[in-house]
Amino acid sequence: METNLLILPGLGDSGEKHWQTFWHKKFKNSIRVVQDNWDEPVREDWIARLNENILKLTKPTILVAHSLAVSLVLHWAEKYNNQNIIGAFLVAPADVDSPQHTPECIRNFSPMPIYKLPFPSVVVASENDPYASFERKQYFAEKWGSDFVNVGQQGHINSDSDLKYWEEGQIILRDFLSKIK
């Protein structure tokens, strides 16, 4: 079974030095969702664009979400389902409920949905991520029914973390895929 990766960048998109961009170049089975407004996201618009992309899927697919896109996955799964979505790889969830951790422009993604996802998932978290406390990410994983992986001190696991192809993340993804296939 070939599994597609649907790459979901967060606020501001994932730039040239972001691991999501490297993965999209590396994995021929990846599709990248492009939002109309990366800097002032509107939750309903982002959900609609994600759903448009999901409706085009013809193969089993893992949602590969970073930061704000993690809450996007949760909001999408509250409204929709699709048999081709077989799991979610949720990296560095941004705490959309927390004004001290996240900018005002994403508050329309609040409240963070808290329910068990209808498909397998894993939350990958860093201990020193400025966009959510480590304890809050553990709480999210527990409520979402997600596996939880601590990658140590890697900031927001973004371009600033300088992870390039993020081999550790690829191993975590491969392990996750082996559990759900």
Side-chain angles (χ1 to χ4, degrees), residues 163-176:
L163 299 170
K164 296 184 177 56
Y165 287 96
W166 191 32
E167 288 80 3
E168 179 185 19
Q170 290 180 51
I171 292 167
I172 296 165
L173 178 61
R174 188 171 54 242
D175 291 348
F176 175 61

Side-chain angles (χ1 to χ4, degrees), residues 40-167:
E40 294 181 21
V42 176
R43 182 173 76 191
E44 292 308 316
D45 294 347
W46 277 38
I47 292 170
R49 178 60 50 84
L50 174 55
N51 198 52
E52 287 170 16
N53 279 264
I54 288 173
L55 289 172
K56 296 175 189 172
L57 298 173
T58 59
K59 294 181 180 172
T61 300
I62 299 290
L63 302 174
V64 178
H66 179 259
S67 191
L68 180 60
V70 172
S71 63
L72 172 64
V73 168
L74 273 292
H75 286 295
W76 175 85
E78 271 186 318
K79 293 179 78 167
Y80 301 103
N81 63 55
N82 186 296
Q83 65 187 15
N84 287 313
I85 301 303
I86 61 167
F89 187 75
L90 308 171
V91 179
D95 191 348
V96 298
D97 299 332
S98 174
Q100 70 257 35
H101 289 101
T102 54
E104 188 61 34
C105 68
I106 68 167
R107 210 62 61 228
N108 73 95
F109 282 74
S110 182
M112 180 68 88
I114 301 295
Y115 66 92
K116 186 176 185 316
L117 280 166
F119 39 74
S121 59
V122 59
V123 171
V124 181
S126 168
E127 296 170 358
N128 62 336
D129 184 347
Y131 294 98
S133 73
F134 189 73
E135 295 74 24
R136 185 87 161 134
K137 289 177 281 194
Q138 288 176 309
Y139 170 78
F140 290 152
E142 177 188 324
K143 294 299 181 185
W144 299 336
S146 305
D147 292 343
F148 185 80
V149 177
N150 176 355
V151 293
Q153 304 272 316
Q154 295 194 28
H156 192 47
I157 314 175
N158 60 1
S159 297
D160 292 341
S161 304
D162 196 26
L163 299 170
K164 296 184 177 56
Y165 287 96
W166 191 32
E167 288 80 3

